[in-house]
């Protein structure tokens, strides 16, 4: 569509539905938005692209009336408006699907939607809603049971509820904040179709993302935000991923160089017939056996929920296997707990970095020594040597380029990428034998992800064994030497990265044995 | 004789449970909006002393009751300001309110101690219904009007909570203030209204004690009833209709603890409501995620827009 030789671009004709001019917003120590110009026209998808912490969400919170700007104005159909609260924004046809859903988990879908409607009846507020929910659901393919309670719904379904809520409120302009971060690729594609249908009905969509491929897939216009300021605006037909990435991070990003592998002189990790019982009482891992050499990255692929989480947990001491043996450098570490495994040389980069990886309310320095605080030089008997803590914190902040106002700043105030740097600095500081990394770049911006990749590679070069669990096949193929596939708790096989294709891996992830998958894809 | 004793016990338990019900209903609304108010005892006793003084000086019991409600609401306003506007610690603020209320009521009520109220509220007997055998003497003879108003209020509040738009707004504010905020509902306004309403109800409960149930003023005369009301709010799982049953249940225990103190240690009986509350809390905690009942998810948490 965008490449079609259109005589006149219809989206440049009318006045913008909504425009923001000279918007600035300061938070203590941070310029979140700096004289931002932004506009959106009917029938258009306008993507707001930027790294985490670039100010996208702040800008949208201003647009939705949740924050007041320090300077600048918002115009709706050319007229200046002031949004003191979301109520005002909703009245001008705005709808927000926030990254963290605004839903009461114990309430039903209908109850959650009813509260946002101006014409909800005083008595029996959800009664009249059902019919409209069904109509809209059918129209957009967003079917949700109105009587289901939100906690029973998957993240994708919760997102549908948010979209339905906005549509029922009469949203002409829908803001989607990182909408695909909770979706499977198929659900994301379904969302894109909903977006396309909305724009075909001359609604406008503001699509916030830091993922280049989906912005290229769905956007008509792309505004790039960096450090609170708009650094570029282009039509999709004039954009390409490399150009967008460069604008987004302010420099060209080279793909990580395949550094030499480390010395493969020993087996770092070996699992022998390991069974693990999951939370629901069923076996999450069934007789898993594999080996990981020094100087090697072993990728673990699989659809979420096929035993990856339990594998991570037994390797880091958070869960005990019910049968089988785990060897680290030939020694049995099966019975060791979290502390024992750390002392034995296992580093853990957890999936949920904000809750498992750090203590959000404690300072950067405290989080940096969260593992090592009990050993010298940080501990002197029962006392903490604050000088050593400070020295370690300063050197980590320098070495990993952690963007923090000070070492005493609470970690929750850091952006996702910087939280990950704190974790990496802590976990990798003792030159671990084994690095267990779970979705280490999930939700990170391009430059933080690149740094994480570099660190994984340098751990391999140093001779550590790295176990990398990820749902991103590109990432696995880029970094791993071998890729192990888990399906329903079983190891389906291990593929050398040279032989691996996404088709082979995909078939194995769906339960095909390795030989069959390799055979099928080489025949084709 | 035995039947008489049972009907008498039920009748007195009903009278005794009335202030528990009023105070518990108020606390349920405040907590449904996400604000714990441990100041129930304090608001009750401030209501009791203010209501008594006005009823005594003006000779008008219902005017006293109005003042009791107003004073309770005013005391709650202080708690609302600290916990909602200043986002202070709700537990500390509520405890302070109780301690303040107990002390201040003692101070201003000093010269009124031990003087019976000249014009207390009168008993009423419901015509017709009181003729029913057993139920008549147990439920409809020699009760105070506030008992029946309390029961009707409970039903009304239950309906409002679950079947009206303001009730939905209130529950959403207590479950997920961010969700309520995003729909344009003012979290601050809803919470203020709920907390002040809670104070008003506690004030009425205090007024009932000093103007009707025991028409006199004595220092500390609420005697821990505010704490029982808090326990009822939890024990009833924040549901106004269940609060009726829980109040009656606790009321009966207390009345029996007076009645049976020769044969049964009253301390043990007075312990029972708290034991049940602990059991109820345990059941709630063991329940599955997102079960229909349980403490409002944002209970005790101040709300600030956009906080991570």
């Amino acid at each position: 569509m965008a490449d079609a030789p259109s005589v006149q671009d219809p989206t440049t004709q009318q006045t913008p539905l909504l425009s923001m001019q000279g918007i600035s917003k300061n938070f203590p120590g941070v310029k979140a938005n700096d004289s931002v110009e932004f506009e959106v026209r009917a029938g258009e998808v306008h993507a707001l692209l930027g790294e985490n912490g670039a100010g996208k969400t702040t800008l949208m919170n201003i647009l939705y009336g949740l924050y007041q700007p320090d300077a600048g104005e918002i115009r709706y159909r050319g007229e200046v408006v002031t949004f003191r609260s979301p109520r005002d924004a909703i009245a001008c046809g705005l709808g927000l699907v926030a990254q963290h859903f605004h839903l009461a988990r114990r309430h039903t879908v209908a109850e959650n939607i009813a509260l946002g409607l101006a014409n909800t009846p005083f008595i029996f507020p959800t009664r009249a809603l059902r019919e409209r929910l069904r109509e809209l659901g059918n129209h957009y393919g967003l079917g949700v049971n109105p009587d289901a309670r939100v906690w029973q719904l998957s993240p994708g379904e919760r997102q549908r509820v948010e979209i339905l809520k906005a549509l029922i409120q009469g949203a002409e302009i829908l803001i989607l904040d990182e909408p695909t971060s909770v979706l499977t690729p198929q659900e994301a594609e379904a969302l894109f179709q909903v977006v396309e249908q909305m724009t075909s009905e001359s609604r406008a969509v503001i699509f916030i993302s830091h993922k280049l491929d989906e912005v290229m897939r769905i956007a008509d216009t792309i505004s790039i935000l960096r450090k609170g300021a708009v650094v570029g605006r282009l039509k999709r037909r004039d954009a390409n991923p490399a150009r967008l990435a460069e604008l987004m991070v302010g420099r060209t990003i080279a793909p990580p160089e395949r550094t030499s592998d480390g010395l493969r002189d020993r087996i770092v990790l070996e699992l022998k017939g390991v069974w693990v019982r999951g939370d629901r009482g069923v076996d999450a891992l069934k007789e898993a056996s594999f080996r990981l050499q020094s100087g090697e990255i072993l990728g673990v692929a699989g659809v979420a929920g096929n035993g990856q989480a339990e594998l991570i947990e037994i390797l880091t001491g958070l869960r005990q296997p019910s049968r089988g043996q785990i060897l680290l450098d030939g020694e049995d570490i099966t019975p060791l707990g979290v502390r024992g495994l750390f002392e034995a040389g296992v580093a853990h980069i957890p999936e949920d970095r904000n809750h498992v990886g750090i203590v959000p309310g404690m300072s950067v320095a405290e989080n940096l020594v969260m593992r090592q605080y009990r050993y010298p030089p940080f501990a002197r008997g029962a006392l903490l040597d604050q000088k050593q803590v400070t020295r370690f914190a300063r050197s980590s902040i320098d070495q990993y380029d952690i963007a923090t106002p000070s070492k005493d700043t609470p970690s929750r105030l850091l952006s996702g990428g910087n939280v990950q740097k704190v974790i990496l600095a802590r976990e990798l500081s003792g030159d671990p034998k084994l690095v267990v990394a779970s979705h280490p770049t999930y939700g990170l911006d391009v430059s933080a992800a690149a740094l994480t990749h570099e660190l994984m590679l340098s751990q391999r070069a140093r001779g550590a064994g790295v176990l990398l669990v990820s749902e991103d096949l590109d990432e696995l193929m880029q970094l791993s030497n071998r890729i192990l596939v888990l399906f329903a708790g079983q190891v389906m096989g291990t593929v050398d990265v040279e032989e691996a294709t996404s088709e082979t891996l995909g078939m194995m992830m769906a339960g095909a044995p390795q030989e069959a998958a390799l055979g099928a894809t080489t025949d084709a | 004789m035995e039947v008489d004793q049972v009907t008498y016990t039920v009748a007195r338990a009903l009278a005794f449970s009335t202030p528990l019900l009023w105070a518990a209903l108020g606390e349920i609304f405040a907590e449904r909006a996400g604000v714990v108010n441990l100041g129930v005892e304090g608001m009750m006793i401030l209501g009791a002393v203010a209501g008594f003084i006005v009823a005594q000086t003006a000779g008008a019991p219902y005017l006293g009751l109005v003042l009791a409600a107003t004073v309770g609401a005013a005391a709650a306003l202080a708690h609302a300001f600290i916990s909602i506007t200043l986002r202070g610690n709700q537990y500390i603020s509520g405890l302070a309110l109780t301690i303040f209320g107990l002390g201040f009521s003692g101070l201003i009520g000093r010269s009124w101690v031990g003087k019976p109220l000249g014009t207390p509220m009168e008993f009423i007997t419901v015509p017709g219904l009181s003729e029913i055998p057993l139920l008549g003497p147990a439920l409809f003879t020699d009760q105070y009007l506030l008992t029946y108003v309390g029961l009707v209020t409970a039903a009304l509040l239950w309906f409002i909570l679950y079947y009206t738009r303001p009730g939905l707004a209130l529950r959403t504010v207590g479950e997920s203030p961010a969700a309520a905020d995003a729909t344009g509902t003012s979290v601050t306004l809803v919470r203020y209204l709920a907390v002040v309403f809670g104070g008003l109800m506690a004030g009425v409960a205090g007024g009932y004690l000093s103007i009707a149930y025991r028409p006199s003023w004595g220092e500390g005369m609420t005697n821990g009833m505010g704490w029982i009301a808090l326990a009822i709010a939890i024990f009833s799982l924040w549901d106004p209709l269940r609060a009726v049953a829980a109040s009656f249940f606790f009321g009966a225990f207390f009345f029996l603890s007076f009645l049976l103190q020769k044969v049964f240690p009253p301390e043990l009986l007075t312990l029972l409501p708290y034991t049940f509350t602990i059991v109820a809390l345990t059941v709630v905690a063991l329940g599955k995620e997102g079960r229909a009942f349980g403490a409002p998810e944002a209970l005790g948490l101040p709300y600030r827009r956009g906080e991570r």
Side-chain angles (χ1 to χ4, degrees):
Chain A
M1 279 295 285
D3 297 328
S6 54
V7 185
Q8 276 180 325
D9 188 338
T11 57
T12 55
Q13 291 294 301
Q14 338 104 316
T15 42
L17 209 47
L18 198 116
S19 65
M20 302 176 85
Q21 285 156 0
I23 298 286
S24 293
K25 176 78 181 172
N26 293 303
F27 289 115
V30 197
K31 213 164 201 177
N33 287 152
D34 188 5
S35 313
V36 171
E37 309 281 327
F38 184 80
E39 61 180 42
V40 63
R41 290 159 193 276
E44 159 187 74
V45 179
H46 195 148
L48 195 55
L49 180 71
E51 297 192 285
N52 292 334
K56 297 169 301 207
T57 300
T58 302
L59 188 66
M60 288 305 113
N61 280 339
I62 290 170
L63 185 55
Y64 198 59
L66 284 163
Y67 293 154
Q68 301 306 315
D70 297 336
E73 61 182 28
I74 301 173
R75 285 171 185 269
Y76 173 68
R77 294 185 186 279
E79 292 190 17
V80 177
V81 287
T82 310
F83 296 154
R84 299 204 177 283
S85 92
R87 192 178 284 278
D88 300 336
I90 292 166
C92 282
L94 275 153
L96 171 69
V97 177
Q99 199 175 357
H100 303 287
F101 300 141
H102 292 148
L103 296 170
R105 297 190 320 138
R106 263 209 300 255
H107 288 184
T108 64
V109 169
E111 283 179 323
N112 269 290
I113 292 175
L115 189 62
L117 289 179
N119 57 352
T120 292
F122 186 86
I123 292 179
F124 303 122
T126 61
R127 197 168 271 182
L129 197 61
R130 276 156 223 287
E131 196 45 41
R132 287 179 66 197
L133 261 177
R134 195 168 305 121
E135 279 169 25
L136 263 178
N138 289 339
H139 184 64
Y140 287 102
L142 290 166
V144 183
N145 171 12
D147 297 316
R149 294 194 181 269
V150 168
W151 65 267
Q152 299 171 315
L153 305 179
S154 71
E157 289 173 309
R158 291 180 199 195
Q159 186 176 67
R160 281 189 231 159
V161 176
E162 286 281 40
I163 295 174
L164 282 171
K165 185 161 84 176
L167 290 174
I168 282 193
Q169 285 170 357
E172 294 178 276
I173 307 159
L174 188 68
I175 306 167
L176 298 172
D177 191 354
E178 302 276 359
T180 60
S181 62
V182 298
L183 301 182
T184 65
Q186 290 81 355
E187 286 177 318
E189 188 51 41
L191 172 70
F192 294 151
Q193 283 167 16
V194 173
V195 167
E196 278 164 356
Q197 190 176 348
M198 285 194 284
T199 49
S200 73
E201 294 165 357
S202 339
R203 296 182 205 255
V205 174
I206 301 173
F207 190 92
I208 303 174
S209 181
H210 64 266
K211 296 183 190 159
L212 304 172
D213 51 342
E214 59 186 41
V215 167
M216 288 299 291
R217 157 78 178 79
I218 193 71
D220 299 306
T221 311
I222 303 164
S223 287
I224 299 103
L225 210 58
R226 190 200 321 148
K227 291 184 177 164
V230 173
V231 293
R233 167 165 312 141
L234 6 121
K235 292 281 171 198
R236 176 177 47 182
R237 57 175 170 264
D238 306 326
N240 62 62
R243 172 89 185 113
L244 291 177
E246 195 185 320
L247 283 168
M248 199 163 122
V249 294
R251 61 187 163 88
T252 31
I253 297 272
E257 287 187 27
R258 280 194 72 92
T259 51
S260 59
D261 295 2
L263 198 55
R264 295 204 202 169
D265 57 350
R266 59 187 208 284
I267 306 283
V268 171
L269 175 74
E270 178 166 13
L271 265 71
K272 290 182 178 173
V274 171
W275 291 71
V276 184
R277 181 88 25 117
D279 282 338
R280 291 188 208 94
V282 294
D283 288 315
L285 275 186
K286 296 168 191 158
E287 209 170 349
S289 300
F290 63 85
R291 289 174 173 184
L292 167 60
Q293 289 182 291
S294 63
E296 180 188 47
I297 295 180
L298 177 65
V300 177
V303 177
N306 275 285
Q308 299 95 318
E310 288 80 5
L311 175 63
I312 299 273
E313 286 172 354
I314 57 163
L315 293 179
T316 52
L318 292 164
R319 190 183 287 269
Q320 280 291 311
S322 46
R323 264 187 283 165
Q325 225 185 3
I326 308 170
L327 305 176
L328 183 73
D329 264 355
E331 290 188 34
D332 187 1
I333 55 161
T334 320
L336 296 184
V338 175
R339 191 181 296 160
L341 284 169
F342 174 70
E343 287 173 359
V346 179
H348 182 198
I349 320 291
E351 175 179 4
D352 184 353
R353 65 182 72 97
N354 287 317
H355 297 105
V356 179
I358 57 160
V359 179
M362 291 176 75
S363 72
V364 170
E366 285 167 325
N367 273 292
L368 280 167
V369 297
M370 191 72 59
R371 288 268 227 180
Q372 297 91 329
Y373 72 96
R374 51 194 307 111
Y375 313 108
F378 305 117
R380 281 191 307 184
L383 300 179
L384 268 185
D385 187 334
Q386 288 297 349
K387 273 189 195 150
Q388 293 293 339
V389 173
T390 302
R391 183 184 305 168
F392 179 72
R394 294 241 165 87
S395 76
S396 299
I397 290 169
D398 281 351
Q399 191 188 336
Y400 287 85
D401 195 22
I402 300 168
T404 173
S406 87
K407 68 175 178 61
D408 299 317
T409 305
S411 304
R412 69 182 154 85
L413 299 178
L414 303 191
S415 70
N418 285 300
V419 166
Q420 188 72 323
K421 288 180 192 173
V422 169
I423 297 168
L424 288 164
R426 178 184 70 214
E427 296 293 325
L428 303 180
S429 65
D431 286 348
K433 293 176 185 166
L434 172 67
V435 178
V436 178
S438 180
H439 308 281
T441 57
Y442 176 84
L444 292 188
D445 57 65
V446 178
S447 52
L451 175 76
T452 307
H453 286 168
E454 276 167 34
L455 287 168
M456 297 286 124
L457 293 172
S458 69
Q459 289 297 312
R460 170 171 73 185
R462 186 178 59 75
V466 179
L467 186 99
L468 173 67
V469 175
S470 177
E471 278 167 30
D472 184 344
L473 285 185
D474 292 339
E475 177 177 50
L476 286 176
M477 300 220 267
Q478 201 177 28
L479 298 179
S480 313
N481 299 93
R482 291 183 298 140
I483 297 174
L484 178 151
V485 182
L486 280 177
F487 171 73
Q490 285 178 306
V491 176
M492 301 310 292
T494 310
V495 190
D496 280 337
V497 75
E498 288 78 18
E499 295 174 30
T501 61
S502 40
E503 293 79 42
T504 320
L505 295 173
M507 286 183 70
M508 290 168 72
M509 284 161 69
Q514 182 174 357
E515 304 74 42
L518 278 173
T521 45
T522 43
D523 288 349
Chain B
M1 271 312 276
E2 277 194 358
V3 171
D4 279 0
Q5 260 173 17
V6 171
T7 54
Y8 177 73
T9 304
V10 171
R12 290 304 89 205
L14 188 63
F16 190 83
S17 71
T18 297
L20 299 178
L21 178 62
W22 279 87
L25 288 174
E27 183 66 12
I28 285 172
F29 259 53
E31 293 195 9
R32 279 287 189 155
V35 184
V36 177
N37 189 351
L38 298 185
V40 180
E41 180 86 359
M43 301 186 297
M44 272 179 80
I45 198 135
L46 287 170
V49 73
F52 178 84
I53 293 173
V54 169
Q56 185 75 302
T57 31
Y62 285 94
L63 185 65
L65 193 70
V66 169
L67 206 84
T70 312
V71 167
L77 195 61
H79 178 65
F81 180 70
I82 292 167
S83 56
I84 303 166
T85 304
L86 302 183
R87 299 185 183 89
N89 183 310
Q90 299 179 5
Y91 298 89
I92 295 174
S93 163
L95 276 176
L97 183 52
T98 284
I99 294 166
F100 169 82
L102 288 170
F104 191 68
S105 62
L107 181 71
I108 57 171
R110 193 175 282 166
S111 53
W112 306 85
V113 175
K115 297 169 187 159
L117 184 58
T119 53
M121 272 184 210
E122 305 283 347
F123 275 140
I124 59 164
T125 292
V126 185
L129 295 177
S130 58
E131 308 296 323
I132 305 171
L134 295 179
L135 285 182
L139 302 178
F140 300 110
T141 309
D142 289 352
Q143 296 288 355
Y144 296 102
L145 182 63
L146 280 177
T147 301
Y148 302 118
V149 177
L151 293 171
V152 172
T153 305
L156 200 65
L157 292 180
W158 175 82
F159 185 81
I160 289 174
L161 197 55
Y162 293 109
Y163 296 103
T164 69
R165 185 188 174 120
L168 179 60
L170 181 84
R171 285 186 291 129
T172 307
V173 165
E175 291 288 336
S176 171
D181 196 14
T183 64
T185 304
S186 167
V187 175
T188 304
L189 179 66
V190 170
R191 287 192 164 176
Y192 259 91
L193 289 176
V195 171
V196 167
F197 176 75
L200 184 146
M201 298 288 281
V204 171
Y208 172 88
L209 286 178
S210 65
I211 303 169
Y213 187 76
R214 198 181 297 146
S216 60
W217 164 249
E219 201 178 329
M221 70 181 295
T222 44
N223 200 22
M225 282 186 146
W227 297 108
I228 306 281
L230 274 157
I232 290 170
I234 297 166
F235 189 64
S236 65
L237 302 171
W238 299 272
D239 179 294
L241 283 189
R242 276 197 287 259
V244 171
S247 302
F248 182 77
F249 185 63
F250 288 5
F253 265 116
F254 272 80
F255 185 70
L256 285 175
S257 73
F258 296 131
L259 210 64
L260 304 177
Q261 51 189 315
K262 292 230 172 77
V263 282
F264 201 83
E267 291 84 359
L268 262 179
L269 274 168
T270 46
L271 265 179
L272 278 174
Y274 301 104
T275 315
F276 284 126
T277 303
I278 291 169
V279 172
L281 275 176
T282 311
V283 172
V284 173
L286 290 177
K288 291 201 189 84
E289 179 206 20
R291 209 131 121 191
F293 55 85
E297 290 209 324
L299 185 59
L301 304 175
Y303 175 66
R304 192 192 299 266
R305 247 180 214 178
E307 192 161 72
R308 294 201 222 186

